[in-house]
Amino acid sequence: MIVNFYERYQPKAQLGFMEDALLADSLSTDGKYTDLLKEHFKQSHGMEDLLFTPSATSALELAVQLLGLTPGDEVLIPSFTFPSAANAVMKCGGTPVLCDVDLKTKNISLEDASSKITERTKAIIPTHYAGISCNMDQLMTLAEEHHLAVIEDAAQAVHSLYHDKPLGTIGDFGAYSFHHTKNFSCGEGGAFLCKDPSCMDQGEIIRDNGTNKAQFYKQKLSGYSWQCAGSNYMMSGACAALLYAQLLDYEVITAKRKGVSETYHEILTVSAQQLDGKVSLMEVPGYSTPNYHIYYINCKDFETREALRNGLLADGIDARTHFVPLHLSDFGRTMGYSAMDLPNCFSVYETLLRLPIHTEMSRTDCEMVTDFLVKRVREIK
Ligand SMILES: *Cc1c(COP(=O)(O)O)cnc(C)c1O
């Protein structure tokens, strides 16, 4: 590859922090680096507390468990997303109800979601695709009208804003991912956020195999025991140290990604005539300040997308499609959905193409990507 799809940002501080975590902090969960991470989110997000987990998936499972679903309860989820939220709902005995997305943002269509609300609907789990916010005012109003809990799947949206509010902090619960492909990574990692601080104690219990060990460690109890169903959703001190090194540089990381995104946008806007209506550009709504997790283009149809993807691959540019919508997946089809039930998801699945974006890309790299893209567009009859 001439331009890789993704490369990890290597912060200067990481090896020192790792050594310190290994030698001084004995890799314990909720040690020194967890405290520093909590301080980071307090400063940047004004958050009193959050829990670090091994993944966004486990944070979503934790949040869904707190909803106390009973069999037959329904949860609205966009079909164009990763399976984590749907799996979490099914694990807790609920039924995921798959919704269409807006063509413009690729986020859950509130029109489709509201048409699917029944007396069994308990929650909605919106994804902020590409780190671009859902319209949270409209979403929260819909949720309030129907008494739905809101769990933000903010896996891609760490340090993205809706107006001036950090994503993940607006709904009742939020989930972040620090998976190695995300903007800030520690290999595998995540965080669980909740708006109501009184849920935090229960979250800590579920996260630690259903025990009140956290209370014991805080010397509020003389011992600990099993309180409820739970799991091991703890992040190791090694991951916390790696993640803290990344988050210390979050402004550098975001600025570099923003540079790539803006360079693409600027060049492709100037090249609009050559793109000849075969490709249109990503749009960011005015209420959203993204973290530039993804830069995608919309192709005219499936054939155009595949011609560009294969052409770019041959040129050494790793451009990629994204999610197979859940309702189109092998498993989704067994749940009774057919492809055209959610037409916008189908269209996004067929036509979206993600361009490389990471902190190690120079302006020349960006120009190489756009030059090849324009060349490949012009080859299409
Ligand atoms: C990456 C991702 C996840 C899963 O995150 P993990 O930390 O790997 O569990 C869930 N939802 C979305 C939208 C994602 O992009």
Side-chain angles (χ1 to χ4, degrees):
M1 282 301 152
I2 300 173
V3 184
N4 288 326
F5 185 71
Y6 172 78
E7 281 179 36
R8 185 171 195 274
Y9 174 77
Q10 306 287 358
K12 286 197 188 67
Q14 68 183 355
L15 292 179
F17 289 176
M18 267 306 266
E19 187 173 3
D20 186 42
L22 282 166
L23 300 179
D25 212 37
S26 54
L27 301 186
S28 60
T29 292
D30 291 344
K32 170 176 160 185
Y33 287 94
T34 305
D35 290 343
L36 289 166
L37 286 171
K38 287 188 179 191
E39 189 56 34
H40 170 85
F41 284 105
K42 192 170 179 174
Q43 301 273 328
S44 65
H45 287 38
M47 273 172 51
E48 275 315 308
D49 205 2
L50 72 171
L51 298 176
F52 292 91
T53 60
S55 61
T57 303
S58 43
L60 288 166
E61 287 179 13
L62 211 165
V64 174
Q65 187 178 333
L66 283 168
L67 301 179
L69 298 180
T70 54
D73 283 348
E74 296 170 3
V75 178
L76 303 166
I77 295 173
S79 180
F80 185 69
T81 192
F82 194 69
S84 301
N87 281 330
V89 168
M90 291 177 73
K91 260 186 104 163
C92 292
T95 305
V97 174
L98 303 179
C99 300
D100 212 353
V101 293
D102 267 353
L103 273 183
K104 204 163 166 175
T105 59
K106 325 310 186 209
N107 287 333
I108 191 165
S109 155
L110 295 182
E111 201 183 331
D112 192 48
S114 60
S115 77
K116 288 177 172 155
I117 293 175
T118 71
E119 66 275 16
R120 298 304 309 264
T121 312
K122 291 288 149 51
I124 178 166
I125 311 185
T127 294
H128 301 294
Y129 183 71
I132 295 170
S133 176
C134 297
N135 186 325
M136 290 308 285
D137 282 322
Q138 284 178 11
L139 193 145
M140 295 306 285
T141 303
L142 180 71
E144 272 158 36
E145 273 169 15
H146 297 275
H147 308 288
L148 309 181
V150 176
I151 303 176
E152 295 179 69
D153 182 344
Q156 302 181 3
V158 182
H159 280 298
S160 287
L161 304 175
Y162 172 71
H163 293 297
D164 56 355
K165 288 200 191 106
L167 298 185
T169 67
I170 302 167
D172 300 286
F173 303 102
Y176 287 162
S177 176
F178 305 112
H179 180 261
H180 75 99
T181 55
K182 300 300 204 276
N183 288 23
F184 315 105
S185 81
C186 57
E188 300 279 356
F192 162 82
L193 292 74
C194 67
K195 195 147 69 181
D196 175 1
S198 67
C199 285
M200 205 45 100
D201 286 347
Q202 194 58 26
E204 275 186 328
I205 290 174
I206 294 170
R207 189 180 69 138
D208 209 347
N209 267 301
T211 71
N212 50 7
K213 210 195 276 183
Q215 296 286 314
F216 168 62
Y217 282 155
K218 290 174 196 163
Q219 295 176 338
K220 290 184 185 157
L221 294 172
S222 58
Y224 69 86
S225 64
W226 192 22
Q227 306 293 308
C228 68
S231 189
N232 180 345
Y233 294 145
M234 317 281 275
M235 176 190 271
S236 134
C239 291
L242 283 176
L243 182 58
Y244 184 59
Q246 295 251 322
L247 284 171
L248 266 187
D249 285 355
Y250 86 95
E251 286 166 315
V252 175
I253 294 173
T254 306
K256 286 181 185 247
R257 303 183 75 102
K258 181 179 185 186
V260 173
S261 180
E262 290 187 344
T263 306
Y264 280 155
H265 210 74
E266 183 190 302
I267 299 175
L268 293 175
T269 302
V270 172
S271 317
Q273 211 158 16
Q274 289 158 290
L275 296 177
D276 191 26
K278 294 192 177 79
V279 160
S280 67
L281 305 187
M282 187 172 103
E283 289 177 54
V284 180
Y287 53 70
S288 170
T289 304
N291 60 358
Y292 307 96
H293 177 58
I294 288 171
Y295 189 90
Y296 65 77
I297 55 174
N298 305 296
C299 304
K300 193 171 117 240
D301 50 30
F302 176 73
E303 290 70 27
T304 304
R305 200 274 308 275
E306 286 302 283
L308 295 177
R309 186 175 67 81
N310 289 317
L312 287 171
L313 268 182
D315 294 330
I317 309 294
D318 190 1
R320 297 189 186 177
T321 64
H322 211 177
F323 304 126
V324 176
L326 303 177
H327 81 286
L328 282 175
S329 66
D330 291 340
F331 189 47
R333 283 171 192 257
T334 69
M335 298 160 93
Y337 293 91
S338 61
M340 291 317 285
D341 287 349
L342 306 173
N344 292 351
C345 288
F346 187 72
S347 156
V348 173
Y349 162 64
E350 288 204 319
T351 59
L352 180 138
L353 186 64
R354 292 179 294 160
L355 302 182
I357 184 165
H358 54 78
T359 55
E360 308 313 298
M361 283 178 69
S362 63
R363 180 160 181 110
T364 315
D365 291 330
C366 297
E367 286 167 356
M368 211 136 53
V369 173
T370 52
D371 285 354
F372 279 125
L373 178 66
V374 169
K375 180 195 84 173
R376 291 292 178 181
V377 168
R378 295 177 68 174
E379 281 172 14
I380 297 172
K381 292 288 162 309

